[in-house]
Amino acid sequence: MFEVTLADIRKIANEYSIDECPTAFYELQRYNYDEENKDSKEVRLIIKVVFEKHSAVVIRFKNERNVTKKHIEAQCRFAVQLSKGGIKTPYIYHIDGHYANDYHINGYDVIVTIEDFCDGEVKAVDEKIARMTGVLLAQMHNVSEKMNLHVYDKVMFNPLLRNELFDISVFSENKEILREIEPSLYDEIESITESYLRKIEVFKEETQYAVQGDISLCNLYITDDSEMGVFDYNNSGDNVLFYDVIMQAVFESRLMDYKGDYPEREQNILSAFLNGYDSVRPFTNLQKDIYPYLCAVISAYWLGDMSFDEGNLKSLIEKKQADAICRFMNNMRNRLIDLQEFPLFG
Ligand SMILES: Nc1ncnc2c1ncn2[C@@H]1O[C@H](COP(=O)(O)OP(=O)(O)O)[C@@H](O)[C@H]1O
Ligand SMILES: [Mg+2]
């Protein structure tokens, strides 16, 4: 297992121009890659380091497949540019201008970054937090566009690619099986989906800009003067900004921990997020027109329903449960035709 000592941390901190000796450190996050493969040399360890006088810092140690130093450096540069543009985000330390640096510790090659620790992490979402998140995202989008920022990497929330909210592949790759059960329903869903995707694609050629790509609780904090800030650029990349805001808003409204539970919660959180965003970076009429189709596709092909949650389509197909599949497909069709208007107040 990858371990660090206070002596390792002291050496790294010194090289990053923090002269004081650390007094202690605590693990914030550890991915146990060696649970799956005991010989794995993959690492993601995030620690908080405290000093007597110097304010606390966060050190990230990484060695992950497909994550290069160049890549982490680009993510850090993006965060630094956002900060210059007025976005609250932790100060990132560097060695001679390089944020990401190679270390060999305890038999592991790791890439290290250091940033300030920020108090006030957001642990649960309510409408006020959702609105603030929307405002922050719009400010970040404005800075990214104005400063022409790019990370040149894929994101989790591009609806035209494999993404973390919805998945059409289970439906399309099982066409033969599903058509055998309900041919006309299958064809109907397929054709509605095709027509919606054509509409959503209208923004496909827009310039993509750098986005943080995971603006969710646990990556947000509220400062002492009640401003919202953001850390964790692990999933930053380039996206069409409209796709980013809608996908992130849906993500925030459906997959977070919430402060309360009431029937309109999801709708209200979504609405608060989008209204916050709109107050800084107004949506265009075309974006508002396309919104219902994107939401309908997200909802009909919800990733959990397709592959992970109880009664998901993949498992129904494996178990050959024709009646349940039929109900599932009816539900998909209903979600597709239930077009929700853009939820702006006033
Ligand atoms: N700069 C920071 N200030 C305060 N807490 C942080 C900071 N960076 C990370 N953390 C804490 O560590 C956790 C994991 O870090 P994060 O960068 O979000 O990693 P992951 O990519 O695994 O989500 C965060 O959810 C947060 O609790
Ligand atoms: Mg995170």
Side-chain angles (χ1 to χ4, degrees):
M1 189 164 83
F2 178 71
E3 298 282 5
V4 284
T5 64
L6 211 49
D8 297 323
I9 296 167
R10 178 183 178 171
K11 176 172 175 284
I12 297 169
N14 283 345
E15 286 172 5
Y16 273 88
S17 308
I18 301 173
D19 293 333
E20 198 184 328
C21 293
T23 51
F25 68 94
Y26 313 92
E27 288 193 7
L28 295 170
Q29 176 84 279
R30 176 189 279 280
Y31 282 41
N32 293 312
Y33 287 106
D34 46 6
E35 263 175 15
E36 276 166 37
N37 166 13
K38 73 175 174 41
D39 300 323
S40 170
K41 288 285 180 186
E42 281 200 81
V43 173
R44 186 187 304 183
L45 176 65
I46 301 170
I47 60 172
K48 175 181 181 180
V49 180
V50 293
F51 306 83
E52 209 160 289
K53 293 205 190 80
H54 194 282
S55 53
V57 298
V58 171
I59 307 188
R60 286 180 171 73
F61 301 90
K62 278 193 187 172
N63 178 344
E64 292 178 312
R65 220 164 291 154
N66 306 325
V67 183
T68 61
K69 185 165 75 169
K70 192 172 154 213
H71 185 179
I72 297 178
E73 189 71 20
Q75 296 177 334
C76 291
R77 272 201 304 270
F78 170 46
V80 170
Q81 292 298 99
L82 283 179
S83 173
K84 284 186 187 154
I87 302 300
K88 288 251 168 310
T89 197
Y91 174 80
I92 308 182
Y93 294 78
H94 60 88
I95 303 176
D96 300 329
H98 299 287
Y99 303 105
N101 292 288
D102 291 313
Y103 280 86
H104 188 78
I105 301 171
N106 181 223
Y108 289 76
D109 290 319
V110 285
I111 302 161
V112 167
T113 58
I114 307 189
E115 69 196 41
D116 278 338
F117 180 87
C118 302
D119 278 316
E121 183 177 325
V122 173
K123 302 276 194 193
V125 173
D126 61 8
E127 288 170 34
K128 185 166 169 234
I129 292 285
R131 186 181 165 86
M132 287 173 84
T133 313
V135 166
L136 175 64
L137 186 66
Q139 290 166 338
M140 291 165 82
H141 282 179
N142 278 347
V143 174
S144 199
E145 186 182 56
K146 201 161 154 209
M147 296 171 86
N148 193 21
L149 304 182
H150 302 279
V151 172
Y152 301 109
D153 201 9
K154 285 208 285 288
V155 287
M156 299 195 291
F157 293 127
N158 182 339
L160 304 180
L161 301 175
R162 180 173 279 280
N163 68 75
E164 293 292 318
L165 284 192
F166 71 90
D167 177 14
I168 297 178
S169 72
V170 179
F171 181 78
S172 59
E173 285 168 14
N174 290 287
K175 178 168 182 168
E176 232 169 271
I177 300 170
L178 296 173
R179 266 198 105 257
E180 214 165 279
I181 297 169
E182 275 285 356
S184 60
L185 185 55
Y186 187 95
D187 293 345
E188 188 187 353
I189 295 172
E190 187 182 53
S191 109
I192 299 174
T193 304
E194 274 303 307
S195 75
Y196 286 8
L197 289 176
R198 293 294 84 77
K199 291 180 194 290
I200 297 164
E201 277 174 6
V202 69
F203 302 113
K204 190 170 137 186
E205 303 300 336
E206 268 193 7
T207 308
Q208 302 199 356
Y209 293 99
V211 295
Q212 186 264 357
D214 186 13
I215 191 153
S216 49
L217 80 163
C218 302
N219 291 335
L220 295 169
Y221 61 96
I222 309 275
T223 64
D224 286 343
D225 35 13
S226 304
E227 283 192 85
M228 185 176 263
V230 55
F231 46 70
D232 186 2
Y233 291 82
N234 192 28
N235 290 301
S236 58
D238 289 2
N239 200 356
V240 169
L241 300 179
F242 174 67
Y243 293 154
D244 188 56
V245 53
I246 302 305
M247 300 285 276
Q248 303 262 18
V250 173
F251 182 50
E252 178 131 321
S253 72
R254 293 189 63 166
L255 289 171
M256 299 294 125
D257 292 334
Y258 299 99
K259 285 189 187 161
D261 199 8
Y262 51 98
E264 312 81 25
R265 188 189 65 204
E266 183 183 322
Q267 201 46 43
N268 289 2
I269 299 258
L270 185 65
S271 170
F273 190 113
L274 295 173
N275 276 276
Y277 187 94
D278 187 73
S279 70
V280 175
R281 192 179 155 88
F283 288 98
T284 65
N285 286 337
L286 180 61
Q287 289 173 337
K288 289 184 206 167
D289 288 346
I290 298 300
Y291 168 88
Y293 303 103
L294 176 52
C295 285
V297 171
I298 295 172
S299 172
Y301 292 92
W302 188 247
L303 185 59
D305 294 337
M306 291 293 142
S307 300
F308 303 115
D309 299 345
E310 175 115 14
N312 67 71
L313 183 59
K314 206 166 166 184
S315 70
L316 298 181
I317 294 170
E318 274 159 17
K319 290 187 242 155
K320 302 192 169 64
Q321 296 184 331
D323 287 350
I325 289 174
C326 188
R327 282 195 298 278
F328 193 102
M329 287 183 16
N330 267 301
N331 201 359
M332 285 176 73
R333 192 249 329 263
N334 292 342
R335 288 186 191 179
L336 281 172
I337 58 178
D338 178 28
L339 292 171
Q340 303 287 325
E341 262 188 46
F342 198 88
L344 282 183
F345 305 131

